[in-house]
Amino acid sequence: MQGKFIVVEGLEGAGKSSVIQLLLNRVKKAGYKCITTREPGGTPMAEAIRECVKHPWQEHVAQETELMLMYAARRQLLVNTIFPALDNNVWVIGDRHNLSSLAYQGGGRQIDEHIMRTLSEITLKDFTPDLTLYLDVDPQTGLERARGRGELDRIEQAGLAFFERTRARYIELAGNDESIITINAMQPIDQVHQDVMSSLNRFLECQ
Ligand SMILES: Nc1ncnc2c1ncn2[C@@H]1O[C@H](COP(=O)(O)OP(=O)(O)OP(=O)(O)O)[C@@H](O)[C@H]1O
Ligand SMILES: [Mg+2]
């Protein structure tokens, strides 16, 4: 038996972290073993790549460099953590996955679609999540929430226009994929959590 891979996506401050705890508890209550991962990161090497990507370097970081680091971290996580877990019938809940790259690097940084597709193919082959919950928030609201948590990292410091493009690409991709469910994350947190639970319960009923 294979475990299921559920991904939570959205801009900074969308509320992914609390939603992931909610999902983890519900999946465990349904009787499945379940782990959580985050991207970039989730293995010792991938966490080192995360530090590297987020560091406020005193030099220009080429967008291709950032892009390839993200995919390198993703490959490490897949091979060393996600694939072995799923093969052992363990469910995985991911804080971000490929949709983040498609939205941030493809939409936000406007990297060529052909490059995005090629890197996705090398990294993922035909692997896709079973369910993605996209928490939709406008950048101003999201960044205000994230700012409340402390200093912004290098990527969070990108301008509002960057996040507007990222959000637009998220919405576009979610609209074209039945396995991605959009949740209005600008609602009060209790309502967001209620919507998340309904989506997860529907998914669990199909297993
Ligand atoms: N719907 C909501 N309404 C108001 N505040 C919220 C809501 N959802 C989350 N928050 C608060 O916003 C802050 C950021 O949320 P959280 O850390 O879960 O976001 P995130 O999506 O995990 O961000 P990041 O991508 O930076 O990890 C937290 O303090 C959280 O309690
Ligand atoms: Mg988080």
Side-chain angles (χ1 to χ4, degrees):
M1 278 254 284
Q2 278 271 314
K4 300 289 174 190
F5 183 36
I6 301 174
V7 174
V8 180
E9 285 279 359
L11 295 181
E12 2 289 296
K16 296 180 292 298
S17 297
S18 67
V19 161
I20 285 165
Q21 283 315 305
L22 199 70
L23 294 172
L24 177 66
N25 292 336
R26 178 70 185 92
V27 168
K28 281 185 174 168
K29 221 175 110 193
Y32 300 105
K33 280 190 187 155
C34 187
I35 59 167
T36 60
T37 62
R38 66 170 182 178
E39 292 198 26
T43 79
M45 184 177 175
E47 285 293 326
I49 297 173
R50 180 190 181 95
E51 284 306 308
C52 181
V53 167
K54 289 191 167 258
H55 186 77
W57 292 103
Q58 297 301 307
E59 63 174 320
H60 169 64
V61 177
Q63 52 187 25
E64 294 80 5
T65 306
E66 178 185 276
L67 178 70
M68 289 188 283
L69 286 171
M70 294 290 191
Y71 276 96
R74 181 161 304 132
R75 187 68 193 160
Q76 281 305 109
L77 181 68
L78 278 169
V79 169
N80 289 334
T81 305
I82 297 180
F83 291 157
L86 297 179
D87 286 342
N88 282 310
N89 198 21
V90 174
W91 287 39
V92 179
I93 300 174
D95 188 335
R96 299 188 179 281
H97 186 58
N98 199 41
L99 195 62
S100 282
S101 294
L102 299 179
Y104 282 77
Q105 277 73 48
R109 302 236 191 270
Q110 298 173 298
I111 290 179
D112 183 76
E113 246 179 67
H114 174 69
I115 295 176
M116 297 304 304
R117 214 172 310 123
T118 305
L119 276 171
S120 295
E121 277 167 19
I122 294 170
T123 309
L124 305 163
K125 317 265 182 308
D126 55 1
F127 178 75
T128 53
D130 296 288
L131 174 71
T132 299
L133 298 176
Y134 163 57
L135 307 183
D136 181 54
V137 73
D138 67 73
Q140 217 135 15
T141 306
L143 287 173
E144 241 161 61
R145 290 180 192 164
R147 222 169 270 131
R149 249 181 358 207
E151 266 184 47
L152 299 182
D153 67 35
R154 188 180 60 80
I155 292 176
E156 289 167 348
Q157 286 167 7
L160 214 53
F162 165 80
F163 288 104
E164 293 287 5
R165 287 195 300 273
T166 304
R167 181 188 182 203
R169 184 61 60 88
Y170 261 135
I171 291 171
E172 182 191 331
L173 293 167
N176 290 329
D177 186 334
E178 280 187 351
S179 72
I180 306 173
I181 294 171
T182 300
I183 307 273
N184 176 0
M186 291 164 289
Q187 306 176 95
I189 198 159
D190 288 349
Q191 187 58 50
V192 173
H193 287 185
Q194 239 177 30
D195 290 358
V196 165
M197 287 307 276
S198 320
S199 294
L200 179 64
N201 286 335
R202 270 197 303 279
F203 180 76
L204 286 169
E205 278 164 22
C206 300
Q207 305 311 310

